[in-house]
């Protein structure tokens, strides 16, 4: 009996540690701005989605910020996403899911309807998990709102075009005074090519 009580005690402690570990993981996931999700195969049923989804969807799912839920009655993913993914991008999502199912490792950028009615860009990444027989078991993924990043990249491209097309000579140096960039107007004015001046200092003009 002593051995049985010991086994029961060890079992309870193991359960407590496992529960505590799950709670810590849930707390960590709840703080992430990215949406964590999992789809069961072959039916492509949504099995799990993290609380961050409430900040992205047009109609929040009502998930607790501290209690991620595994669906007891899985909802098929297609009707859920039809109300979220921008209509023109829905076909891309279907093609991407087929590619992931085939083992492809690639990201997908698509537009979604944010809960304020605006369009946001979302980056999807996913990983295919196989069962013990080598058959597709589930797709686990992460979704990140990349709208701000894309906006910053767009602004940077605009600035780059302004510099490239400027009628004034523009030279950019690093903190040591070495030339890192010259625009086309500089090359036209001085006769130097970018390859000749990058890495040099502006003193190259005196030597020329």
């Amino acid at each position: 009996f002593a051995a049985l009580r010991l086994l029961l005690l060890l079992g309870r402690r193991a359960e407590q540690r496992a529960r505590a570990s799950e709670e810590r993981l849930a707390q960590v996931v709840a703080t992430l701005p990215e949406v964590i999700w999992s789809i069961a195969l072959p039916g492509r049923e949504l099995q799990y989605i993290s609380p961050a989804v409430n900040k992205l969807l047009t109609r929040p799912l009502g998930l607790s910020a501290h209690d991620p839920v595994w669906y007891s009655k899985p909802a098929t993913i297609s009707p859920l996403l039809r109300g979220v993914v921008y209509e023109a991008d829905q076909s891309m999502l279907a093609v991407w899911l087929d590619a992931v199912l085939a083992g492809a490792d690639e990201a997908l950028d698509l537009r979604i309807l944010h809960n304020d009615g605006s369009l946001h860009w979302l980056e999807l990444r996913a990983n295919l998990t196989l069962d013990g027989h080598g058959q597709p078991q589930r797709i686990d993924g992460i979704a990140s709102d990349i709208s701000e990043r894309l906006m910053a990249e767009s602004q940077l491209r605009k600035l780059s075009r302004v510099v490239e097309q400027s009628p004034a000579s523009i030279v950019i140096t690093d903190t040591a005074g070495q030339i890192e960039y010259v625009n086309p107007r500089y090359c036209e004015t001085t006769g130097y090519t970018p390859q000749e001046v990058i890495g040099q200092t502006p003193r190259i003009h005196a030597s020329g």
Side-chain angles (χ1 to χ4, degrees), residues 59-137:
R59 294 181 298 277
L61 298 182
L63 299 178
S64 167
H66 304 290
D67 185 24
V69 177
W70 283 89
Y71 285 72
S72 57
K73 294 182 179 180
T76 56
I77 190 169
S78 296
L80 175 65
L81 291 181
R82 270 200 295 270
V84 178
V85 177
Y86 188 55
E87 185 175 1
D89 294 351
Q90 291 182 15
S91 59
M92 293 193 308
L93 176 63
V95 171
W96 178 74
L97 283 173
D98 287 339
V100 172
L101 188 57
D105 180 16
E106 57 187 36
L108 172 67
D109 294 347
L110 51 73
R111 291 164 292 182
I112 63 166
L113 295 171
H114 195 263
N115 54 19
D116 63 5
S118 63
L119 283 176
H120 281 225
W121 280 96
L122 205 66
E123 180 186 71
L124 300 179
R125 292 187 175 275
N127 178 68
L128 176 66
T129 297
L130 306 178
D131 61 20
H133 302 287
Q135 297 300 310
Q137 183 179 47

Side-chain angles (χ1 to χ4, degrees), residues 4 65 101 138 174 207:
L4 179 59
L101 188 57
R138 70 178 189 272
D174 61 17
S207 63

Side-chain angles (χ1 to χ4, degrees), residues 33-35 55-56 112 114 120-123 143-149:
E34 295 82 8
V35 177
K55 297 179 181 179
L56 292 177
I112 63 166
H114 195 263
H120 281 225
W121 280 96
L122 205 66
E123 180 186 71
S144 307
D145 190 332
I146 59 172
S147 302
E148 292 185 2
R149 188 191 80 191

Side-chain angles (χ1 to χ4, degrees), residues 173-192:
T173 65
D174 61 17
T175 56
Q178 293 182 323
I179 297 174
E180 292 185 325
Y181 170 85
V182 292
N183 72 340
R185 182 59 176 169
Y186 168 91
C187 296
E188 294 173 6
T189 302
T190 65
Y192 287 110

Side-chain angles (χ1 to χ4, degrees), residues 6-20:
L6 178 60
L7 287 175
L8 291 174
L9 177 61
L10 291 176
R12 284 196 296 271
R13 288 181 177 176
E15 290 177 2
Q16 291 171 353
R17 286 195 296 269
R19 192 177 303 112

Side-chain angles (χ1 to χ4, degrees), residues 2 29 47 65 83-84 88 131 134 137 139 158 161 167 171 178-179 194 198 203:
V29 170
Q47 291 291 300
V84 178
D131 61 20
Q137 183 179 47
I139 297 175
K158 291 178 182 177
R161 285 196 297 269
V171 178
Q178 293 182 323
I179 297 174
I198 290 177
R203 288 195 297 272

